[in-house]
Amino acid sequence: MNPYLSTLALSAMPAIGSYIGGVLAEFIPPSKSNLSLTLHAAAGIILSVVGVEIMPEMLAADPPWLIFLAFVGGGGFFILMRRAIKFFQKRSKNSETQSSSAWVISVGVGIDLFSDGLMVGTSSTIAFSLAVMVALGHVLANIPTGMAAISSFKQGKTSALFRQILSASFIFPPVIGATLGYWVVVGQPEVIKFMLLAFTAGILTTLVVENMVPEATEHEKENYQETLCFVGGFALVALISTYLG
């Protein structure tokens, strides 16, 4: 089988995890408590992806100032993206906070999937077995993030057809990321790959701090289940990365 086609097949696996999460969200009652639990788990997972998988790559880059400039640029890009989403929400006369937040979370999940595909694509150029382990690890890790995205839209009373289309669309970001990792980034100097990873990490970190955590804690009761979901999500990715990475 063509190595690139094999890489594309592997890149679909993280999206399968998000799709499974979206399907599960359809069977979970749309309550603030359930949404808070899934958002906490997704936040822990995304921060673990940044801290455990992306950050070590960034720290190995030279010159380091260029990498962290890209990280800050990713945070700035997220701010512009969120402002653009709110602008279009207002233009369409649908400025509800819940709807805007759901779109921001979904875009963040897409960026997370893009980074997964990028790691699969670059790993496949090193060793195909490494790419397999990276892809398998992200299947489980992406279930809570998919649940968080679909639960947010379910909370906003969107149609079931729209949520199904959104879940299916999760296939595109990792495929695009894997294509970049396989054909574009690998042939360039390593600093380009590190800058792209840093830019992605900046977006994901800002997403968690500025949107996911505030949204999760807005209606949170002090029962500490959310905290356990957060640290459990972080530990899940760390364990997968340690044993399969």
Side-chain angles (χ1 to χ4, degrees):
M1 186 176 181
N2 185 288
Y4 172 63
L5 295 180
S6 300
T7 300
L8 285 185
L10 288 179
S11 71
M13 296 178 69
I16 290 174
S18 294
Y19 183 80
I20 292 173
V23 171
L24 291 175
E26 295 294 341
F27 296 95
I28 297 176
S31 67
K32 289 291 184 180
S33 176
N34 290 333
L35 179 60
S36 179
L37 289 173
T38 55
L39 284 173
H40 273 85
I45 286 171
I46 290 176
L47 285 183
S48 189
V49 168
V50 173
V52 176
E53 297 190 345
I54 299 181
M55 192 63 71
E57 296 285 340
M58 290 168 50
L59 295 176
D62 185 40
W65 68 267
L66 193 59
I67 304 305
F68 288 101
L69 182 62
F71 180 86
V72 174
F77 177 80
F78 172 82
I79 294 173
L80 294 176
M81 178 187 69
R82 186 167 66 171
R83 289 178 66 90
I85 289 174
K86 290 183 177 180
F87 173 78
F88 286 114
Q89 289 285 335
K90 291 179 180 179
R91 288 293 296 270
S92 63
K93 299 182 180 180
N94 182 19
S95 58
E96 295 181 2
T97 303
Q98 181 66 40
S99 178
S100 177
S101 178
W103 277 110
V104 172
I105 291 170
S106 296
V107 171
V109 171
I111 294 171
D112 182 33
L113 286 167
F114 172 82
S115 69
D116 294 345
L118 182 65
M119 285 184 279
V120 169
T122 54
S123 298
S124 67
T125 63
I126 300 172
F128 187 74
S129 58
L130 176 61
V132 171
M133 289 188 290
V134 170
L136 284 174
H138 284 93
V139 173
L140 287 176
N142 286 339
I143 291 177
T145 58
M147 289 181 64
I150 301 304
S151 294
S152 297
F153 277 106
K154 191 176 181 182
Q155 190 78 21
K157 309 297 183 182
T158 57
S159 68
L161 176 61
F162 171 81
R163 297 194 299 269
Q164 291 171 8
I165 294 174
L166 180 64
S167 291
S169 70
F170 285 148
I171 188 66
F172 295 109
V175 168
I176 294 172
T179 300
L180 283 174
Y182 190 89
W183 293 111
V184 179
V185 178
V186 175
Q188 301 296 322
E190 283 197 338
V191 68
I192 301 298
K193 180 186 75 172
F194 292 139
M195 287 182 66
L196 183 57
L197 287 173
F199 186 82
T200 303
I203 296 175
L204 294 175
T205 302
T206 312
L207 165 74
V208 170
V209 175
E210 295 295 330
N211 190 264
M212 296 187 79
V213 172
E215 174 70 16
T217 57
E218 183 178 359
H219 300 281
E220 177 183 332
K221 295 182 179 179
E222 196 172 355
N223 56 20
Y224 304 110
Q225 293 178 3
E226 291 86 354
T227 303
L228 291 176
C229 285
F230 177 81
V231 296
F234 190 99
L236 173 64
V237 173
L239 282 171
I240 291 172
S241 179
T242 301
Y243 286 100
L244 296 181

